[in-house]
Amino acid sequence: GEEYAAAVSIGLGMGLKACSATMKYLSLSSIRWTARNVKGLYDGLVSMQALEELNLSYCSFSSDDSETIDTPSIPSSASAESTILPVQTLANAINQRLSSLRCLQLNRCGLEDRSIELLATALWNHPSIVQLYLGGNFCERNGCAALATLLHTTSSLKILGVSHQMVLRGNRITENDNDDESDESDESQHHAFHDALLGQFFPSLRMQPLLDLQVLHLGSNNLTDEHIQHLVQAFSNCHSIRHLDLKNNLITDRGASMLATHLPPHLRKLWLLGNPRIGAVGARSVLQVLRESRHLHLIDVRIPTYYRTARNGEMQQLQSEIQYYCRLNHGGRRLIEHWNQNRPTPIGIWAAVFGRVGRLEWERDHATDRGRIEVMYYLLQCQGAVILQQ
């Protein structure tokens, strides 16, 4: 009843206040926050002076204790409004007192668009926020617009995660994962998050330089080549991007080729795993760029096992060559760590190692002693001996 909810709220607030001076990490996941118990969270949070990471993933938010809400919940017009009060309370706590907060996780909370807008707005001009994870929610037009503004107003934000934004089909929640039951209708499925990316998020990135964002997660959103076309146009103002997650989407060879042609200059890692429509043409485009790059450390274009077809043999060969060049960009030490005597690294890769650095130095490490010996023996047996002499 109301007395129990009040007692829980008071106890939570007192417990958080007791350790508020030293606590840096707080995880309260899988809790149902309502208008009655969220006050305890607010009282505890506003008293914390050193909190750096707050994890509220898998929680649900409602202003009515009588409602039955699963996580994630389906946002009807009534339930969407009912989440506003507890989310607004959380946003107020962040905006007023949590100046030391560096990481906020709200994955799979069933947050609808208005709630995401409130949270993003509360973080505008925040002095220290570095990581924001909002995967598995219902972000749409207003949320995307607020997140785009957040990227331009908050210089400390380096990592943004908006993967797994969900689609409503009738009364059923459908996650945007490419599985063996997906069909052509998925590509044409109306998705408000798709429209928001094209209408608000990507255009905002193109309008103003974005010099701070380093990691962007957009996986499992059924993104198509049209989204990639707008995304690569935004890269002209996003030179700081280091990691780009595009796993489990609907990107084809055309999208992969566009990415390869317009990669951000400082990109280190690109995830394209689980895009079954990327074939050898797209993989070769990526490989061609990688051969000329010295900073890309990871590109994953693997095809899931449940999409195995006759063309996988060629794709696996291309993926292996891609991995060789990624390891080359890590340096000779990474080539040794992944040494396989039955499938030795092609001699041309080792030639590139010496061509780039002039010499190869290995630190003393018992774990790689055997690999070092096998590598040297392999090189001396073949034309690598000429390379070593040079």
Side-chain angles (χ1 to χ4, degrees):
E2 294 185 6
E3 295 79 6
Y4 176 76
V8 170
S9 179
I10 294 172
L12 176 63
M14 294 178 62
L16 293 178
K17 287 180 180 179
C19 50
S20 60
T22 58
M23 182 177 290
K24 293 186 176 182
Y25 173 79
L26 176 62
S27 178
L28 295 171
S29 59
S30 303
I31 295 177
R32 184 162 173 257
W33 297 106
T34 69
R36 296 175 181 176
N37 64 10
V38 76
K39 186 178 184 303
L41 176 64
Y42 175 85
D43 292 340
L45 290 179
V46 297
S47 67
M48 292 186 170
Q49 304 172 5
L51 186 65
E52 295 182 0
E53 183 170 351
L54 176 61
N55 182 7
L56 296 175
S57 296
Y58 295 92
C59 289
S60 63
F61 294 84
S62 171
S63 61
D64 187 355
D65 285 334
S66 65
E67 294 181 7
T68 300
I69 298 183
D70 299 325
T71 303
S73 59
I74 297 178
S76 64
S77 57
S79 64
E81 290 300 322
S82 71
T83 66
I84 297 301
L85 181 57
V87 170
Q88 181 68 69
T89 302
L90 173 62
N92 290 341
I94 293 172
N95 184 266
Q96 296 173 13
R97 295 299 180 90
L98 295 181
S99 60
S100 61
L101 187 66
R102 296 174 56 83
C103 177
L104 176 61
Q105 300 185 52
L106 286 161
N107 295 307
R108 295 185 178 271
C109 291
L111 296 176
E112 46 78 44
D113 192 47
R114 174 59 177 156
S115 296
I116 293 175
E117 181 186 18
L118 286 172
L119 290 166
T121 303
L123 290 169
W124 287 358
N125 298 308
H126 193 280
S128 61
I129 189 69
V130 176
Q131 305 176 45
L132 176 61
Y133 298 96
L134 294 168
N137 292 297
F138 296 90
C139 186
E140 298 181 10
R141 182 181 300 271
N142 294 331
C144 268
L147 289 173
T149 303
L150 173 65
L151 291 174
H152 291 297
T153 60
T154 309
S155 60
S156 61
L157 186 64
K158 309 295 183 187
I159 301 174
L160 176 62
V162 285
S163 298
H164 291 91
Q165 298 306 306
M166 289 175 283
V167 183
L168 287 178
R169 294 176 181 169
N171 292 323
R172 181 167 63 93
I173 295 177
T174 302
E175 296 188 24
N176 294 309
D177 291 326
N178 287 330
D179 55 26
D180 51 1
E181 296 180 356
S182 65
D183 53 37
E184 294 297 326
S185 64
D186 289 339
E187 191 168 3
S188 60
Q189 175 69 33
H190 177 74
H191 188 355
F193 183 62
H194 288 177
D195 295 341
L197 286 177
L198 297 176
Q200 280 76 38
F201 193 74
F202 292 152
S204 177
L205 298 188
R206 292 198 304 268
M207 289 173 58
Q208 303 178 44
L210 190 63
L211 305 178
D212 303 294
L213 184 67
Q214 296 183 2
V215 181
L216 180 59
H217 296 281
L218 289 170
S220 300
N221 282 315
N222 281 354
L223 302 186
T224 66
D225 293 344
E226 181 183 6
H227 298 95
I228 300 304
Q229 182 178 357
H230 286 77
L231 177 60
V232 297
Q233 292 173 3
F235 284 161
S236 60
N237 281 333
C238 301
H239 292 175
S240 60
I241 293 287
R242 300 293 193 273
H243 300 176
L244 181 60
D245 176 8
L246 295 170
K247 295 191 298 284
N248 300 319
N249 284 300
L250 298 174
I251 304 169
T252 70
D253 285 334
R254 177 172 170 265
S257 299
M258 285 191 291
L259 281 169
T261 306
H262 299 91
L263 286 178
H266 302 293
L267 190 70
R268 298 292 184 269
K269 297 182 179 181
L270 172 64
W271 285 273
L272 292 171
L273 168 68
N275 284 275
R277 301 179 188 184
I278 296 180
V281 174
R284 280 195 291 267
S285 298
V286 171
L287 178 59
Q288 182 60 37
V289 172
L290 184 57
R291 285 171 175 164
E292 302 172 0
S293 168
R294 299 194 178 193
H295 53 264
L296 277 165
H297 292 170
L298 184 148
I299 295 183
D300 194 343
V301 294
R302 287 176 297 167
I303 298 177
T305 56
Y306 43 80
Y307 281 104
R308 291 287 168 85
T309 64
R311 68 189 177 96
N312 285 158
E314 182 180 8
M315 282 295 292
Q316 289 175 1
Q317 182 178 354
L318 288 168
Q319 175 66 19
S320 296
E321 191 169 354
I322 286 172
Q323 292 307 308
Y324 286 139
Y325 277 95
C326 288
R327 292 167 188 168
L328 167 61
N329 288 335
H330 269 288
R333 181 177 178 82
R334 178 59 62 91
L335 288 170
I336 293 175
E337 290 173 351
H338 292 269
W339 175 261
N340 187 328
Q341 189 173 14
N342 297 323
R343 291 189 302 169
T345 303
I347 189 64
I349 304 296
W350 287 100
V353 171
F354 286 92
R356 291 187 181 189
V357 300
R359 65 174 184 266
L360 193 61
E361 296 180 357
W362 293 324
E363 298 176 1
R364 176 70 178 176
D365 188 341
H366 293 291
T368 59
D369 277 349
R370 181 174 179 178
R372 182 186 299 114
I373 294 171
E374 290 176 350
V375 168
M376 297 302 295
Y377 180 71
Y378 169 72
L379 290 173
L380 290 171
Q381 277 187 316
C382 58
Q383 55 183 316
V386 178
I387 301 172
L388 290 175
Q389 290 175 0
Q390 295 176 349

